Amino acid sequence: MRIRIVDAFTDRPFAGNPAGVLLLDTDAFPDDGWLQNVALEVNHAETAFAHPLPGSGDADWALRWFTPVAEVAMCGHATLATAHVLHTTGSHEGPVRFATRSGVLVAAPAEDGSVTLDFPTAPLTPLPLPEGFAETLGAEPLTAFDTGPNVGDLLVEVSDERTVHALRPDLKALGAHSARGVIATARAENPSLGYDFVSRCFFPNVGIDEDPVTGSAHTALAPYWSERLGRTALTGLQASPRSGRVRTELRGERTLLGGRAVTVIEGELQSAALPRGRAMKHGGPTG
């Protein structure tokens, strides 16, 4: 069984957000305990597991995502990474439809190697600022929004880009304010640098102190900044230490997320690590 580490939302190795990707040659997922153990062993923000579906359905592949400690409802960078692996290994040609906990998600590769994801737009519900939250975050938010069940974050805008870069939140206390974590954002200080807004994402509730680049968060950032900036097509910079850029295009109830990916590691799970009762098959669906 082949396993790959792919850096997503970047065009160079050791940047963007790394994800583990396993393409399974089965018609169902192994048990959840095995999936979670593999994700813990990979120990990146997300590990994606996918298996092919019959050709007559609404989707081509089934897809699930696990952090080292939990399964999540939606993940952008690991979906991008999976689509990249399917395309570069010849396991799937053209747009791929993934059956997920968040519905059918489509990933369309382009000739230049980039991939565009079609995700549901996150509904934004204004919230009063939680008491004591400014001290927890390390900055005074201007606004706060709930991002709905698929994303599960608290989205807050702070005063400027420099404040986003300087955040040093109390991660233990931060986890009490949302299901997954907190997205902190601000308008770009200098749009001529090629991005319109910045963000950082802190997800202590799923074992990720700070996520390098978060596609799912941009399904909330896209409608938020499109309304404020008066444009449907934007580029976001996630200002983590690894950093990465996400192209967004708001299309009503759907949001397009665009980016590139690079495979940096390819290996093989050994027999002792395979699901119980499954013999090693050399080669497998990825060639």
Side-chain angles (χ1 to χ4, degrees):
M1 186 181 296
R2 307 297 293 174
I3 183 169
R4 295 170 173 85
I5 305 298
V6 178
D7 290 343
F9 291 115
T10 182
D11 59 0
R12 66 185 192 278
F14 315 123
N17 201 350
V21 178
L22 279 83
L23 303 184
L24 308 171
D25 57 358
T26 59
D27 58 4
F29 289 108
D31 69 81
D32 289 4
W34 184 84
L35 298 173
Q36 189 63 73
N37 281 335
V38 172
L40 177 60
E41 190 78 7
V42 172
N43 202 33
H44 283 311
E46 306 284 350
T47 298
F49 302 88
H51 70 75
L53 294 170
S56 59
D58 295 331
D60 308 300
W61 289 73
L63 177 62
R64 295 172 70 182
W65 314 276
F66 286 76
T67 78
V69 301
E71 184 173 8
V72 297
M74 186 168 67
C75 178
H77 87 276
T79 304
L80 175 60
T82 305
H84 168 79
V85 170
L86 287 169
H87 180 62
T88 56
T89 62
S91 300
H92 189 90
E93 295 184 1
V96 55
R97 302 167 298 168
F98 293 113
T100 78
R101 289 174 58 181
S102 298
V104 175
L105 307 177
V106 179
E111 291 185 2
D112 65 359
S114 65
V115 175
T116 298
L117 308 177
D118 184 338
F119 272 41
T121 300
L124 300 181
T125 305
L127 296 174
L129 291 173
E131 184 176 353
F133 182 76
E135 290 76 15
T136 298
L137 181 64
E140 186 69 43
L142 305 177
T143 58
F145 289 83
D146 177 78
T147 57
N150 286 339
V151 177
D153 295 330
L154 179 67
L155 170 64
V156 297
E157 182 185 355
V158 297
S159 58
D160 53 39
E161 181 175 343
R162 283 173 288 182
T163 299
V164 172
H165 285 277
L167 290 174
R168 299 294 184 271
D170 180 342
L171 292 168
K172 184 175 181 180
L174 203 68
H177 294 287
S178 68
R180 183 174 71 166
V182 172
I183 308 165
T185 188
R187 187 188 302 244
E189 185 174 315
N190 184 2
S192 66
L193 296 177
Y195 57 91
D196 302 290
F197 59 87
V198 298
S199 65
R200 289 175 68 192
C201 295
F202 307 99
F203 304 141
N205 289 344
V206 291
I208 304 167
D209 289 348
E210 179 171 2
D211 198 35
V213 191
T214 315
S216 59
H218 283 76
T219 67
L221 290 162
Y224 184 83
W225 286 111
S226 289
E227 179 180 350
R228 281 153 183 76
L229 300 178
R231 289 183 286 125
T232 58
L234 301 169
T235 298
L237 171 70
Q238 194 150 329
S240 67
R242 288 176 64 102
S243 188
R245 299 191 183 199
V246 182
R247 300 188 312 274
T248 68
E249 184 176 344
L250 185 64
R251 293 188 175 182
E253 295 183 354
R254 309 295 296 184
T255 293
L256 302 185
L257 309 173
R260 304 177 72 92
V262 182
T263 300
V264 294
I265 296 175
E266 182 175 344
E268 187 173 85
L269 286 181
Q270 298 302 300
S271 297
L274 294 178
R276 183 177 300 176
R278 184 188 185 280
M280 170 66 75
K281 292 183 179 180
H282 294 284
T286 62

